[in-house]
Amino acid sequence: MLCTHCHKHFKVTKVENHRGKGLNAQIQCPLCEAWLGRNPILTRLKMVGFYIGASALATQYWAPDYKTIAIPVLILSIITLLVSHLMDHLKVIEAPIQPEINNDEHLRKYR
């Protein structure tokens, strides 16, 4: 996997901390400790596109009378599925706390 906060690759087996359930599940990056998750709306849209496309395909196959309705529904559901799949990626839910660094001496050197 690729962390969207530190932009480093890590293995899924290295993930130890999880929170949330279902579509709102989040994982913690083992490298930078940022909480990562997916957008639940896009995930639902992807699932709806898949199931509507599968049902339209089944309707087209077993009930050929509804072919004129099933084909456009199938095309639109596949477009919805592909677009939501391309947009659905990990995003940073909660960034890790950065410690404050006292660099007064460094700033004083350049004044």
Side-chain angles (χ1 to χ4, degrees), residues 3-6 19 26-29 31-37 91-99:
C3 178
T4 54
H5 185 261
C6 64
R19 68 181 180 191
Q26 299 172 2
I27 61 170
Q28 189 176 26
C29 175
L31 303 173
C32 67
E33 298 180 353
W35 287 96
L36 308 171
K91 64 178 183 174
V92 178
I93 303 296
E94 184 180 325
I97 299 171
Q98 299 292 332

Side-chain angles (χ1 to χ4, degrees), residues 4-51:
T4 54
H5 185 261
C6 64
H7 304 290
K8 295 179 183 175
H9 291 279
F10 62 92
K11 294 185 179 182
V12 179
T13 56
K14 299 282 185 187
V15 175
E16 295 177 358
N17 297 328
H18 303 275
R19 68 181 180 191
K21 288 186 178 183
L23 298 177
N24 292 324
Q26 299 172 2
I27 61 170
Q28 189 176 26
C29 175
L31 303 173
C32 67
E33 298 180 353
W35 287 96
L36 308 171
R38 295 193 184 275
N39 189 342
I41 295 170
L42 287 174
T43 306
R44 283 188 188 102
L45 194 61
K46 189 186 328 182
M47 290 171 46
V48 166
F50 173 77
Y51 286 119

Side-chain angles (χ1 to χ4, degrees), residues 67-111:
K67 193 177 233 180
T68 57
I69 297 171
I71 290 176
V73 170
L74 178 64
I75 291 170
L76 290 175
S77 66
I78 288 175
I79 290 171
T80 303
L81 172 68
L82 292 176
V83 168
S84 62
H85 180 69
L86 288 175
M87 292 174 58
D88 190 24
H89 58 277
L90 287 174
K91 64 178 183 174
V92 178
I93 303 296
E94 184 180 325
I97 299 171
Q98 299 292 332
E100 289 187 27
I101 300 172
N102 188 2
N103 46 343
D104 290 338
E105 293 179 24
H106 179 74
L107 293 175
R108 220 176 288 135
K109 186 190 320 183
Y110 294 105
R111 287 186 188 173

